[in-house]
Amino acid sequence: MSDKDFHHKNDEGKQIDILRAAISKGGSYFWTEWIKLPFEDEKSILLALASKFNSLDELTELLCAWLQEGHIDAVRALMEAVEHIPSTDAKSVMNYLAFVESLPMEYQYSGAAKLSGAFCAEPDLARACGLIFSVQSPINELMIIAWATAFGGALPSQAIDMATTISGVNSNIISCLLLHASTQSFPANQKAILESEKNILQRLIEASSSPTWRQQAWEVIVRIAEFSQKAEELLLHEMEIGDSPAIPALLSSITRGVWPFRTQPWTMKAVIERLFQNEITEPALLRQIDTAIVTCLSRSKMQSEALNLLIELGANRKINPVLMLERVFSQIKSKKDLCGKLLTAWLVRTDIPHVTLREMLTRCVIGRNPSLDLFTLENVDDRQRYNVARKLLGLLHDGQSVCEFVVTFAEEPSMQPEGINIAGQMLYEIEKEYPTAVENFLCERCIVHSKKTVIGEFYASIYKYCLERRKAIENLPVLDELRPTSLQTQILRAVRQQENREIIRGAEVRSIFSSISTNVNIAQGRRVATWIGLDARPQVFELNQYSHRVDLPSSELCDPIGGILRRAEILRGIE
């Protein structure tokens, strides 16, 4: 051993001695010394701490005292030594589990997991605790969950064996929790499970009759159904019932990317469609559905089925899937190909409500360089393509985005010859609402395509028309007799100011912020002064100039009723 290693070993020994001595000085002092350690060899430190205690009961007693004093950090640190206690008995383990039950919820699982080392060293110890739980009345839910979690995580094969053989008043619950904690090891223990599957399934069904253990029981059944025909038949029977407690477990399975039905009589699409037919109102179940579909969209094998599900959900007039499945459509709008496929499928169909389509266009299309799915458009007739164009014109209130869709109709060879006619009609119609957006779009396309090409000549002719129309409008004479007089303008401004004051006053009355914040009115100007405290000098800041421009639909700006009627005329006859 070199001198450097000798000194390092000597320093570590001193640190351990200081830490062992700190235990008797209280949780606060122990934590202060604990955070000073480098933890290059954490196991040796924990072994040294564990040797400070004669038994698990002694350590548990100290942990309880520190927890009552509020030293939770010190408790979490010293709990690491539990798995290094040399030997213990079932009574001591039960006392420790009672302590784990008193921990804050976020630390209970990790606290129970510290028993894994003791269970691995003495497998009979875990079984002895299980026998105590099997006759316990009333049953202590948190303690039994903590024990099953530690046992199933440390010794899954022994846990599965005990789940099939244990008897007692609580045997069904114990079997359920042991199997639930051991589900990750099912592939390696298929043979043992199949040999006792009748007994296991019977225990799980009886446990599922209790609302407390229903979720764990069905999650285990779903995992067993991946390789057991009897469990699969049981799930199929539950699916026929309709509002089954097995559905949340199926959704959890989908989230893991596993579908338990090998014979495929029930698809994921059929399960979720049935849920939406029952008008779901539970937020937790909606979040599960949302997460399950997101998982399927991210997996290549299940993406097609998930997309078909969303297409069908769009036709459900009881719901608006865009609003209900926020995570799904947040992912879709970030993936151009998925967004294009779903949007095109909805636009082609006639049974998709306009409110759903409008929400899809607003959330997932504007500002995202949208496109349509060419394969879908190639497999429909010209009438359906015209309907797609009409829906885009009537439902999408963004000139730039509508112009982007024109590219698909005008420039894709497979869409011709009718595609360029559709594109021309769309551009002439868009120009009435968004002249600036159309001019900018056509200017860019004329640069990309030469006038010698058919598409270049097409864009150039419409661009020329737009410029001539703008010039004609600009050259119209100014008719002063149509302008309001200064008195009329002043009266109108006064009326609008009064309306705004009433609106603001009503909002302030209803607002919760009036009771928690101070209302500050700043006069118009470029400079503002602020005071911090009573004696502080005022600080004068220069306000930044700010301007904002938006290209409003021109027809609706001057004639809102006319704009509404125009869009209604475009959409008439489609649904």
Side-chain angles (χ1 to χ4, degrees):
M1 179 184 294
S2 65
D3 292 342
K4 183 177 180 181
D5 292 337
F6 175 78
H7 289 300
H8 174 75
K9 195 73 176 177
N10 194 33
D11 290 342
E12 183 180 306
K14 291 180 179 179
Q15 291 172 340
I16 291 174
D17 291 339
I18 292 172
L19 200 61
R20 283 167 57 89
I23 292 175
S24 59
K25 296 183 180 181
S28 178
Y29 187 81
F30 174 81
W31 176 247
T32 303
E33 296 299 327
W34 175 269
I35 59 178
K36 294 179 182 179
L37 294 178
F39 292 108
E40 294 176 357
D41 188 5
E42 186 175 352
K43 185 176 180 181
S44 63
I45 295 174
L46 294 175
L47 284 169
L49 289 178
S51 64
K52 172 79 174 175
F53 301 94
N54 296 321
S55 65
L56 180 60
D57 281 336
E58 186 179 345
L59 175 56
T60 303
E61 184 179 351
L62 180 62
L63 290 172
C64 289
W66 284 4
L67 183 63
Q68 290 177 356
E69 294 170 4
H71 304 307
I72 185 63
D73 291 326
V75 169
R76 290 172 57 200
L78 193 56
M79 274 197 308
E80 300 291 335
V82 169
E83 56 185 318
H84 299 287
I85 296 292
S87 62
T88 186
D89 53 29
K91 183 179 178 182
S92 298
V93 171
M94 297 296 285
N95 291 336
Y96 177 75
L97 288 172
F99 157 73
V100 169
E101 184 184 4
S102 66
L103 286 171
M105 185 66 69
E106 60 268 28
Y107 304 129
Q108 289 179 1
Y109 179 85
S110 59
K114 305 307 176 194
L115 290 172
S116 300
F119 289 162
C120 287
E122 300 180 56
D124 291 339
L125 181 62
R127 296 185 66 90
C129 293
L131 294 174
I132 295 174
F133 282 123
S134 67
V135 294
Q136 190 181 65
S137 181
I139 191 169
N140 191 312
E141 296 178 6
L142 291 177
M143 284 180 63
I144 195 172
I145 291 173
W147 162 79
T149 300
F151 187 16
L155 302 168
S157 297
Q158 288 90 329
I160 292 172
D161 178 65
M162 187 174 190
T164 60
T165 57
I166 192 169
S167 59
V169 292
N170 302 321
S171 59
N172 295 328
I173 296 171
I174 291 175
S175 297
C176 170
L177 293 175
L178 284 175
L179 291 167
H180 189 263
S182 310
T183 51
Q184 299 299 327
S185 69
F186 277 4
N189 294 276
Q190 283 188 24
K191 185 177 179 181
I193 293 173
L194 289 173
E195 288 175 354
S196 306
E197 66 177 333
K198 183 178 180 180
N199 179 27
I200 289 175
L201 292 176
Q202 183 62 35
R203 289 172 180 265
L204 291 171
I205 291 171
E206 292 178 7
S208 70
S209 61
S210 167
T212 307
W213 314 109
R214 179 176 296 160
Q215 180 179 351
Q216 291 92 331
W218 280 109
E219 285 181 2
V220 174
I221 293 173
V222 169
R223 290 299 296 265
I224 295 176
E226 295 172 20
F227 54 85
S228 165
Q229 186 175 354
K230 289 183 178 179
E232 185 179 359
E233 291 172 356
L234 179 61
L235 279 177
L236 287 174
H237 174 70
E238 285 296 315
M239 291 306 305
E240 294 295 339
I241 294 175
D243 186 17
S244 168
I247 290 177
L250 282 172
L251 293 174
S252 297
S253 180
I254 295 171
T255 304
R256 292 185 288 104
V258 178
W259 186 243
F261 295 133
R262 295 166 296 165
T263 55
Q264 294 293 323
W266 277 91
T267 62
M268 177 201 69
K269 176 172 169 289
V271 171
I272 295 180
E273 279 183 342
R274 169 164 290 197
L275 285 174
F276 278 111
Q277 287 173 1
N278 295 334
E279 299 185 20
I280 306 169
T281 56
E282 296 179 21
L285 191 55
L286 276 174
R287 285 194 297 270
Q288 265 194 299
I289 295 172
D290 206 359
T291 303
I293 299 176
V294 166
T295 303
C296 295
L297 288 173
S298 61
R299 297 176 183 270
S300 56
K301 292 183 178 180
M302 304 182 76
Q303 188 179 96
S304 177
E305 186 178 357
L307 194 60
N308 290 334
L309 166 65
L310 292 173
I311 292 171
E312 293 300 326
L313 287 180
N316 189 331
R317 294 181 177 272
K318 296 180 181 179
I319 64 168
N320 187 334
V322 185
L323 297 177
M324 296 185 73
L325 305 174
E326 293 185 1
R327 289 190 61 196
V328 169
F329 284 89
S330 177
Q331 181 177 20
I332 283 176
K333 71 182 181 183
S334 65
K335 296 186 177 182
K336 187 176 179 180
D337 56 337
L338 276 179
C339 183
K341 288 178 180 178
L342 179 59
L343 176 61
T344 310
W346 278 3
L347 289 169
V348 167
R349 293 179 56 155
T350 58
D351 56 350
I352 308 296
H354 285 167
V355 65
T356 302
L357 267 175
R358 185 181 290 110
E359 198 68 40
M360 171 71 172
L361 289 166
T362 302
R363 291 195 173 207
C364 304
V365 170
I366 294 178
R368 297 185 177 276
N369 191 23
S371 64
L372 296 172
D373 182 53
L374 193 58
F375 178 79
T376 303
L377 290 177
E378 287 174 351
N379 289 277
V380 297
D381 55 32
D382 289 336
R383 181 186 61 81
Q384 290 174 295
R385 293 174 188 171
Y386 271 102
N387 284 341
V388 168
R390 292 168 65 184
K391 288 177 182 178
L392 290 172
L393 291 171
L395 299 173
L396 183 54
H397 296 259
D398 182 71
Q400 183 180 355
S401 298
V402 182
C403 289
E404 293 293 336
F405 286 117
V406 170
V407 175
T408 304
F409 290 101
E411 300 183 17
E412 290 295 340
S414 59
M415 299 290 290
Q416 308 313 320
E418 198 60 34
I420 201 166
N421 294 330
I422 297 174
Q425 294 182 44
M426 289 181 71
L427 287 172
Y428 283 121
E429 192 65 39
I430 301 167
E431 195 273 339
K432 299 174 186 177
E433 297 281 338
Y434 307 96
T436 305
V438 173
E439 288 174 18
N440 293 338
F441 168 76
L442 290 173
C443 181
E444 294 174 1
R445 304 317 293 174
C446 287
I447 295 173
V448 174
H449 297 279
S450 171
K451 289 184 179 180
K452 296 180 181 179
T453 62
V454 175
I455 187 63
E457 183 181 359
F458 164 74
Y459 283 137
S461 62
I462 300 180
Y463 188 34
K464 181 181 178 182
Y465 163 80
C466 292
L467 294 178
E468 290 176 350
R469 177 178 167 85
R470 176 178 287 275
K471 185 177 180 181
I473 293 173
E474 290 174 350
N475 290 335
L476 288 174
V478 178
L479 302 178
D480 292 333
E481 63 269 21
L482 298 180
R483 292 179 178 273
T485 64
S486 58
L487 179 60
Q488 289 173 329
T489 303
Q490 186 177 356
I491 293 172
L492 178 62
R493 186 182 296 114
V495 172
R496 287 182 175 174
Q497 287 177 349
Q498 178 63 28
E499 290 176 352
N500 287 335
R501 283 194 293 269
E502 291 177 358
I503 292 171
I504 293 171
R505 190 180 300 112
E508 288 177 348
V509 170
R510 293 189 298 270
S511 174
I512 64 169
F513 294 103
S514 59
S515 60
I516 61 176
S517 62
T518 302
N519 188 23
V520 179
N521 296 314
I522 299 176
Q524 290 184 351
R526 294 287 309 281
R527 298 167 70 84
V528 61
T530 61
W531 282 264
I532 303 175
L534 296 176
D535 301 326
R537 296 181 61 185
Q539 297 178 348
V540 180
F541 296 95
E542 193 79 14
L543 295 179
N544 294 326
Q545 291 184 341
Y546 176 76
S547 64
H548 182 69
R549 176 183 174 277
V550 61
D551 187 13
L552 292 170
S554 55
S555 66
E556 294 186 11
L557 184 63
C558 61
D559 184 12
I561 300 301
I564 294 173
L565 293 175
R566 181 188 298 276
R567 294 181 184 279
E569 183 65 28
I570 291 173
L571 295 171
R572 184 173 299 165
I574 295 179
E575 265 196 330

